[in-house]
Amino acid sequence: MIPYLAKRLLTGLLTLLAASIIVFSVLEVLPGDPARIMLGMNASPEALAALRMEMGIDQPVLARYLDWVAGLATGDFGRSYTYSTPVIDLIAERVAVSLPLALLALALSTLIALPVGVYAASRRGTLSDTLTMGLAQVGVAIPNFWFAMLLVYVFAVGLRLVPAGGFPGWDQGILQGLAALLLPAVSLALPQAAILARVTRSAMLEVLGEDYIRTARAKGLPRRAVLWRHALRNALIPVLTIMGLQFAFLLAGTIIIENVFYLPGLGRLVFQAISQRDLIVVEGVVMLLVATVIAVNMLVDVCYAIADPRLRTAR
Amino acid sequence: MKKLAAFLGATAVVAAMSSAAYAARTDLVLGVVLEPPHLDPTAGAAAAIDEIVYANVFEGLTRIGQNGEVQPALAESWEISDDGKSYTFKLREGVTFHDGTSFEAEDVKFTLERAMADDSTNAQKVLFSAIESVEAVDPATLKVTLDHPQGSFLYNMGWGDAVVVAPETADGNKEKPVGTGPFKFENWAKGSSVTIVKNPDYWGEPVALDKAEFRFIPDAAAAIPALLSGDVHAFPMFPADAVTQVQGDPRFEVVIGATEGETILATNNGKEPFNDLKVRQAIAHALNRDEIIMGASNGFGVPIGSHFSPANEAYVDLTGTYPYDVEKAKALLAEAGYPDGFSGTLKLPPPAYARQGGEVVASQLREIGIDLEIVPVEWAQWLEQVFTNKDYDLTIVSHTEPNDINIYARDDYYFNYDNDAFDAVIEELDRVSDPDKRNELYAKAQRIIAEDAVNGFMFQLPKTGVWDAKLEGMWENMPIQANDLTGVRWAE
């Protein structure tokens, strides 16, 4: 287990390094001058030059890359061109919204998907299986922003139970924060839950056909125990894989939902930074996301080992 | 008896509560589309900065009023020397910055010299170009000497880029703006909102609001539920497409005003075939403004025939210079040597007026044989390709700076337009301060570029304001990029 983890860690670091080169060079060829964007159409050439110097973008490419990577290694993400604050502070503010949102959505989707998937698998071929899986198919097909608008009109405009959008900040109270994240989390969770339920069902079906399930039933174990303790545990590997992928998506890919609810999340930070050519912010966030995906993958590997003891010794 | 007392007591409590409930509220939430990159109006062109801090947090020597007029602000009054080159400002006394330091002539001197300096990053440095020297005569008197008379000097000092900052706090204004205005900056939750609160030590008339929050809502689809749910009370610029959805609702007031944004089909006058006057005239004849306004901004917006705001007193209606006439357009195109038309590109930046208006313009020009390929670009690309490198045929953009007809006189501007007669008019305008003479010159300037059909002049971008019907004092027009809240209050 330990050498295995060490090897994964090393691969992860190399991936990060490769990502830094790719991210930096892709953004380098992107047209657009951040100074011009800040100062607009009436800016004089001297003012533009002065600002470029202030931002440090008048330096040669290689020098800027090395500076940036050296900074990353010491935890210094640089300073935003537009906000002129440390990038790490900007990211931290956004993670305080995006991470709880992603976790909430993931928890909701798992709580819905696992029981539904297991239930459908255990009732394979019956009307209730067809119905739940039909619903899941609808859930996969519904665009989440449309579903989000629907939720807003019903719960915020009609019933006025929750705000229509925005985020008051955690300092205004945990409950207020959660209320603001509730609709976004639900609209993110539902399509994810639909996918996860389908994956759970098919993984369960595969396991339920195995010999040891029949043996377990034959030796008199109750149906529920077989289903939840023996079958689900063995079906968890593909489910965990999907959950890992979904978490990465929920953290980074929620820009549309963030726009619908005007939440100050990571997605909007990146979007805004790209349109303002605040490249150092884009680079910082992308690197953070790459690191997260690597970390989540490692975590999923560890979870495999917990779910399936055979994997602990096999490698 | 006891019961009666209890009853009376209860009524008193209810009465007290209801009178409290009827007192006008003093908080306001405004929805704005864009988040500013920072909050220092003297170091960035983004309109989103001025739309929060102008007149609310920061003030200049003069300020621009609701109808675009110059009003005294931190300068109580001024005297102009006979040669028009020296301005002596009498400054207000007893004014303090939000950090408690006092406002004096030295602060203004610092502000102006900072904006003019070599390492200045002021986006409108040209506003200060006529200044030769600034002298703080005494704490309440400031003398500015110009190297030539400049008719627009007092107006220039009213721009957001010319607001007065304190030397102690100037460097921190991007994050924590410190000005002299009736509101103080309180908090900026990045990505969410900026909050300003009433400044109890304000020198002038105190504002009615205790607190105002500017909430960033970039998505048009999110703006409607935000308004309907009561989360947001006012949208100074509501998405034009969505206005009709709230127009009949008695809870809201819809106010269509004017901005300083001349929306034009900008044309590369330096490139064939657009360097031919006949071709540009043909394009002008082929544009149906009413149709464009319908497509670009849901029918809101006033047609223009030159690069000038209809709200300005010097405005001349030139929409009839080249009236909509497809046959005439075709004839002109044939005369120019393109009987079968030609093809080109139309680069469109992200705003709805450009993307939607562009479709209409392309189809109208196709009528006369000009086949345009539509190329959507983002702002950064637009600024680089179109504005800086002049690599374009046609583009649609709104020029939102106030009184900016002088851009047609600039060398090397992206229109590639060059006309000595026009340059002479603008040069004269820069020197003349007599209002009648200035209006005459402005009229002359409008006519020259209209007749030269430099660009396709389309319409003045509307200010589609929507707010709670009980809200008073919101600006109808946008003569300068600002959301001045100094006169805003809730009706009781």
Side-chain angles (χ1 to χ4, degrees), chain B residues 267-305:
Chain B
T267 308
N268 193 341
N269 283 246
K271 192 173 168 187
E272 267 188 56
F274 306 99
N275 54 354
D276 187 335
L277 175 62
K278 287 207 170 77
V279 170
R280 297 199 304 269
Q281 286 171 332
I283 292 175
H285 276 302
L287 296 178
N288 179 343
R289 293 190 180 91
D290 292 336
E291 249 178 55
I292 295 171
I293 294 171
M294 193 47 81
S297 67
N298 208 8
F300 304 113
V302 181
I304 51 170

Side-chain angles (χ1 to χ4, degrees), chain A residues 32 38-39 42 83 160 164 277, chain B residues 37 45 124 228 231 378 384:
Chain A
M38 285 282 279
L39 296 186
N42 268 356
Y83 286 125
R160 298 211 173 189
R277 292 296 184 271
Chain B
Q124 312 286 350
L228 294 179
D231 285 4
E378 18 155 21
E384 174 143 327

Side-chain angles (χ1 to χ4, degrees), chain B residues 202-485:
Chain B
Y202 185 53
W203 57 266
E205 197 183 324
V207 286
L209 297 174
D210 284 336
K211 185 174 170 183
E213 181 186 336
F214 294 83
R215 208 170 279 179
F216 314 125
I217 303 181
D219 197 67
I224 303 168
L227 187 76
L228 294 179
S229 66
D231 285 4
V232 174
H233 307 127
F235 281 91
M237 274 288 240
F238 202 62
D241 288 342
V243 168
T244 39
Q245 295 196 37
V246 291
Q247 225 160 9
D249 196 324
R251 288 176 294 168
F252 306 111
E253 197 172 349
V254 175
V255 180
I256 310 293
T259 68
E260 283 292 320
E262 289 81 19
T263 312
I264 56 173
L265 175 67
T267 308
N268 193 341
N269 283 246
K271 192 173 168 187
E272 267 188 56
F274 306 99
N275 54 354
D276 187 335
L277 175 62
K278 287 207 170 77
V279 170
R280 297 199 304 269
Q281 286 171 332
I283 292 175
H285 276 302
L287 296 178
N288 179 343
R289 293 190 180 91
D290 292 336
E291 249 178 55
I292 295 171
I293 294 171
M294 193 47 81
S297 67
N298 208 8
F300 304 113
V302 181
I304 51 170
S306 185
H307 196 103
F308 217 72
S309 164
N312 194 302
E313 59 170 1
Y315 173 75
V316 185
D317 184 355
L318 294 165
T319 47
T321 313
Y322 300 111
Y324 175 57
D325 185 343
V326 174
E327 287 316 311
K328 191 148 188 209
K330 281 183 182 160
L332 279 163
L333 215 51
E335 267 178 58
Y338 302 95
D340 304 321
F342 55 86
S343 54
T345 59
L346 175 61
K347 290 194 171 166
L348 301 176
Y353 67 75
R355 292 276 165 91
Q356 294 169 12
E359 303 279 345
V360 182
V361 167
S363 81
Q364 289 178 354
L365 293 186
R366 201 166 294 127
E367 293 279 306
I368 62 164
I370 301 177
D371 202 14
L372 292 177
E373 184 201 345
I374 289 179
V375 185
V377 290
E378 18 155 21
W379 269 125
Q381 285 173 304
W382 189 89
L383 279 168
E384 174 143 327
Q385 296 174 6
V386 178
F387 190 78
T388 311
N389 297 336
K390 304 171 196 74
D391 172 21
Y392 78 108
D393 296 336
L394 296 166
T395 183
I396 291 178
V397 70
S398 201
H399 279 257
T400 51
E401 276 87 8
N403 274 341
D404 58 353
I405 196 168
N406 58 350
I407 54 180
Y408 289 75
R410 265 188 216 171
D411 293 335
D412 208 31
Y413 204 63
Y414 78 108
F415 307 145
N416 278 325
Y417 172 66
D418 193 16
N419 181 336
D420 292 340
F422 183 83
D423 296 356
V425 174
I426 294 298
E427 210 165 294
E428 203 180 337
L429 255 173
D430 197 31
R431 282 156 207 284
V432 173
S433 48
D434 173 56
D436 290 339
K437 182 78 183 139
R438 285 181 68 81
N439 287 353
E440 206 177 288
L441 287 167
Y442 269 132
K444 206 166 162 186
Q446 291 173 59
R447 280 207 183 85
I448 296 176
I449 54 168
E451 277 157 20
D452 274 351
V454 181
N455 296 312
F457 300 107
M458 305 200 301
F459 64 96
Q460 199 71 16
L461 200 66
K463 175 177 172 331
T464 42
V466 174
W467 45 80
D468 195 303
K470 293 194 288 298
L471 205 57
E472 296 170 350
M474 293 283 295
W475 277 20
E476 176 187 339
N477 296 320
M478 212 177 219
I480 188 160
Q481 284 143 348
N483 290 310
D484 183 338
L485 299 181

Side-chain angles (χ1 to χ4, degrees), chain A residues 32 36-39 41-43 47 82-85 93-94 149 152 160 163-164 167 259-260 262 264 268 272 277, chain B residues 35 37-38 45 120-121 123-124 174-175 190-192 218 221-222 225-226 228-229 231 378 380 382 384 387 399 410:
Chain A
R36 171 63 85 181
I37 293 158
M38 285 282 279
L39 296 186
M41 310 205 318
N42 268 356
T82 47
Y83 286 125
S84 6
T85 43
E93 280 169 12
R94 303 305 176 102
M149 292 307 298
V152 168
R160 298 211 173 189
F167 186 72
N259 255 333
V260 173
Y262 43 104
R268 258 179 69 201
Q272 196 173 347
R277 292 296 184 271
Chain B
E35 174 166 27
H38 59 73
S120 153
T121 54
Q124 312 286 350
K174 283 185 172 176
E175 278 297 297
K190 298 262 165 61
S192 281
L228 294 179
S229 66
D231 285 4
E378 18 155 21
W382 189 89
E384 174 143 327
F387 190 78
H399 279 257
R410 265 188 216 171

Side-chain angles (χ1 to χ4, degrees), chain A residues 106-128:
Chain A
L106 189 71
L108 272 175
S109 108
T110 313
L111 282 178
I112 300 169
L114 287 190
V116 169
V118 172
Y119 174 81
S122 70
R123 300 264 189 301
R124 179 185 191 182
T126 66
L127 185 65
S128 43

